[in-house]
Amino acid sequence: MTQSTSPDTPSGQDALPRQHRQYTIGELARMFEVTPRTIRFYEQEGLLAPHREGQKRIYHEKDRVRLKLTLRGKRLGFSLGEIREVVTMYDAMPDGNARQLRRLLEILADKRANLERQLEDIRLMRMELDDVDHRAREVLRGLGHEA
Amino acid sequence: MTQSTSPDTPSGQDALPRQHRQYTIGELARMFEVTPRTIRFYEQEGLLAPHREGQKRIYHEKDRVRLKLTLRGKRLGFSLGEIREVVTMYDAMPDGNARQLRRLLEILADKRANLERQLEDIRLMRMELDDVDHRAREVLRGLGHEA
DNA sequence: CAAGCACTTTACGTTAACGTCAACCTCGTC
DNA sequence: GACGAGGTTGACGTTAACGTAAAGTGCTTG
C-alpha cells in the first residue's frame, strides 16, 4: 500500500546513482512489504550480510538485490536453505574450486527441473481454474433467469 | 522409485474401467509418493472424504483426482486452507447460492493472479540461473587451462 | 494358531519461518 | 530534558504440515 521507493524501477525522484544508494532496514522492509524482523532473520540465516554504522545495519545495492532474489525464490516455494546454497555459492564462485562449481551446476539443474515442473503445474491449474470459472458463471446465469 | 500404478496414465495392466476402481490408502500413497499419514491429514483438514468399508478407508476416482489437485496446489505454494476453499466450493457449486459463487470467482481470480506472478518469477529466475550457470562453466574452463 | 502385513486411532514431537514482546540505545526537535 | 521515531539484541510464542511412536483390529498364510 505505502509504495514509497519502488524496489525495481529507478526512483526518478532524487536522481541518485543508485549504485551508491544506501538503505536502512526499515526502508528495505517497506520496499518489499516485509517486516524488519524478516530481514534480520534472513541475515541470521546467512542470506544477507549488511555493513554496520556503529550499531545500525546499512544495506547497499547488492544487499537489496539479494533480498529481492530471496523473496522471489520464496514465492516459488524454495526454502531459505536452498536459496542460500545458490546465492552464497554464487558469491564464492570466482575462487571456488572445481568440485564446488560442479556441485553448484548440479543444484542449478535441480532448480531448473523444479521450475519446469512448476510451469506445467501452472498450465494445468490454469485450465482447471478456467473450468471451474466457466461452470460457476453458468450456474450464476441460471440463477439469474429463474425466481 | 517403486512406481507401481501410475497416477495419471491408465494402468494398462488390468484393463479396469478406471471409473470404478478403488484404492486403499497405501496404494494412493505409493502412487503419489506421499505417506499414508499425509493422506489422513488431508482428510482431517477437510480435503478428502473417502468412504469406509468397516473401519478401512476406500478411495475412488474422485478422491484420487482430488488428491492430485491438492498436491499440485501444494507444489505451487498454496496452503491447504486455500486449496480447500476452492475444491469444497467446487463440489458445493450446483446448489451454491449466488453470493457463494461470486466469492468463488473472486478466489479464482486471486489464484490466477498468483499464478501469473509465478510465471514471471520463473522467467526471471530462469534467466538468473542461466547467468550463474554460464559464469560457473567459464570459471571451470579457466581452471582446466591453468595448473 | 502364530506371524506378518496393512490398516486404524490417539497423541505427542518436530521443523521452518517468522511474530511478538521486553528492555535498551540514539538521534532530532519541541 | 522529555519524547517520539527509528534502530538494536535477546528470548519466547505461534502456525502449518506433517513425522513418529504406541497400541489395537483384521485378514491370510505357513
Side-chain angles (χ1 to χ4, degrees):
Chain A
M1 292 289 162
T2 342
Q3 180 87 348
S4 52
T5 314
S6 161
D8 250 289
T9 54
S11 61
Q13 194 73 310
D14 36 18
L16 270 176
R18 175 148 163 126
Q19 286 312 323
H20 306 120
R21 191 159 168 7
Q22 296 187 166
Y23 309 90
T24 74
I25 197 171
E27 285 171 351
L28 246 76
R30 276 187 301 274
M31 279 188 198
F32 291 101
E33 306 193 289
V34 299
T35 70
R37 166 65 174 142
T38 297
I39 298 181
R40 290 196 199 97
F41 180 70
Y42 289 171
E43 175 177 353
Q44 174 185 327
E45 294 299 299
L47 286 165
L48 296 173
H51 295 156
R52 296 290 182 126
E53 199 162 274
Q55 171 132 282
K56 297 178 66 172
R57 294 170 170 82
I58 302 293
Y59 300 86
H60 295 92
E61 193 52 21
K62 279 194 58 169
D63 303 308
R64 209 217 53 183
V65 170
R66 219 156 150 159
L67 178 55
K68 187 181 68 181
L69 295 182
T70 298
L71 293 175
R72 180 180 300 153
K74 277 221 58 192
R75 283 198 301 272
L76 292 178
F78 295 113
S79 74
L80 294 184
E82 295 178 303
I83 296 171
R84 182 181 40 210
E85 272 193 308
V86 173
V87 296
T88 67
M89 294 195 78
Y90 177 83
D91 276 18
M93 247 184 44
D95 50 320
N97 59 28
R99 206 160 35 66
Q100 278 226 345
L101 288 175
R102 289 188 208 286
R103 169 92 182 104
L104 175 56
L105 289 180
E106 270 181 40
I107 297 182
L108 293 182
D110 207 75
K111 306 288 178 219
R112 205 184 311 274
N114 208 316
L115 291 185
E116 300 309 329
R117 198 177 55 169
Q118 285 206 29
L119 272 180
E120 178 64 5
D121 280 341
I122 287 181
R123 215 178 51 75
L124 293 172
M125 178 160 288
R126 254 181 172 173
M127 292 178 54
E128 273 141 19
L129 288 185
D130 282 349
D131 184 39
V132 180
D133 192 296
H134 277 63
R135 287 169 193 264
R137 287 178 195 281
E138 275 194 24
V139 177
L140 260 181
R141 278 202 322 146
L143 287 184
H145 282 212
E146 75 182 34
Chain B
M1 291 293 161
T2 341
Q3 180 87 350
S4 51
T5 315
S6 161
D8 251 289
T9 55
S11 61
Q13 192 74 311
D14 37 17
L16 271 175
R18 176 151 162 121
Q19 286 311 323
H20 305 121
R21 189 158 168 11
Q22 296 187 165
Y23 310 90
T24 75
I25 198 173
E27 285 171 350
L28 246 74
R30 275 187 301 275
M31 278 188 198
F32 291 102
E33 305 193 290
V34 299
T35 70
R37 165 65 174 142
T38 297
I39 298 182
R40 291 196 198 96
F41 181 70
Y42 289 171
E43 176 177 352
Q44 175 185 327
E45 294 299 300
L47 286 165
L48 296 173
H51 294 157
R52 296 291 181 127
E53 200 161 274
Q55 171 131 281
K56 297 179 63 173
R57 293 168 171 84
I58 302 293
Y59 300 86
H60 295 91
E61 192 51 23
K62 279 194 58 168
D63 303 308
R64 209 217 52 183
V65 170
R66 219 157 148 157
L67 178 55
K68 188 181 70 181
L69 296 181
T70 298
L71 293 174
R72 180 180 299 152
K74 277 222 57 192
R75 284 199 301 273
L76 292 178
F78 295 112
S79 75
L80 295 184
E82 295 178 303
I83 296 171
R84 182 181 39 210
E85 272 193 308
V86 174
V87 297
T88 66
M89 293 197 78
Y90 176 83
D91 277 19
M93 246 185 44
D95 49 321
N97 58 29
R99 205 162 33 68
Q100 278 226 345
L101 288 175
R102 288 187 209 286
R103 169 93 182 103
L104 176 56
L105 289 180
E106 270 181 40
I107 297 181
L108 293 182
D110 206 76
K111 305 290 178 218
R112 206 184 310 273
N114 209 317
L115 291 184
E116 300 308 329
R117 198 180 54 172
Q118 285 206 31
L119 272 181
E120 178 64 4
D121 280 340
I122 287 182
R123 214 178 53 74
L124 294 172
M125 179 160 288
R126 254 182 173 171
M127 293 177 55
E128 272 142 19
L129 288 184
D130 282 348
D131 184 39
V132 181
D133 192 296
H134 277 61
R135 287 170 194 264
R137 287 179 195 281
E138 275 193 23
V139 177
L140 260 181
R141 278 200 324 143
L143 286 184
H145 282 211
E146 76 182 32

